[in-house]
Amino acid sequence: MTAKLTEDQRRLELSSLSAHGWAETEGGDAIVKTFEFGDFVSAFGFMTRAALWAEKMDHHPDWKNVYKTVEVTLSTHDAGGLTMKDVELARKMDALA
Ligand code: H2B
């Protein structure tokens, strides 16, 4: 199983992720970001690309789509918190958006 990030790892990864719009949830068990696109088709296209990656990584986002926004929460359920898998998926989603 992937290990939860240590305090030091979390501080390091969050400093770069926060520059790209990611924030820790209260308690620090997850990271969240709201992506905004030009229209619904762009938002859904992003979700389609991200879904294929998530499946390939065997790591899946919790997310909600409202029209042209996609609200993403990343956490490793098996580990009960944040792991490098969440960091990797966050970076991949930024690249796909
Ligand atoms: N996604 C996320 N976000 N957290 C998990 O713990 C997780 C997952 N576990 N996708 C995976 C699937 C696990 O259930 C399978 C059996 O590998």
Side-chain angles (χ1 to χ4, degrees):
M1 193 210 287
T2 319
K4 269 168 83 162
L5 297 186
T6 64
E7 270 309 310
D8 282 354
Q9 285 173 321
R10 171 195 297 274
R11 205 171 304 119
L12 182 69
E13 300 301 347
L14 256 298
S15 70
S16 67
L17 287 173
S18 64
H20 291 93
W22 293 92
E24 277 182 288
T25 55
E26 224 175 77
D29 281 348
I31 50 174
V32 294
K33 176 175 176 177
T34 300
F35 292 86
E36 178 147 4
F37 298 89
D39 54 25
F40 174 74
V41 171
S42 302
F44 202 78
F46 162 73
M47 293 178 83
T48 305
R49 296 191 299 279
L52 294 173
W53 261 99
E55 186 59 15
K56 201 186 311 224
M57 290 174 68
D58 192 28
H59 197 65
H60 304 88
D62 299 358
W63 52 9
K64 176 182 175 182
N65 164 233
V66 178
Y67 179 36
K68 58 185 182 173
T69 67
V70 182
E71 190 184 306
V72 177
T73 302
L74 300 179
S75 179
T76 303
H77 309 123
D78 295 346
L82 271 185
T83 68
M84 279 310 292
K85 281 192 157 190
D86 302 304
V87 175
E88 281 164 30
L89 185 55
R91 298 215 166 101
K92 192 68 209 178
M93 289 178 113
D94 284 341
L96 292 173

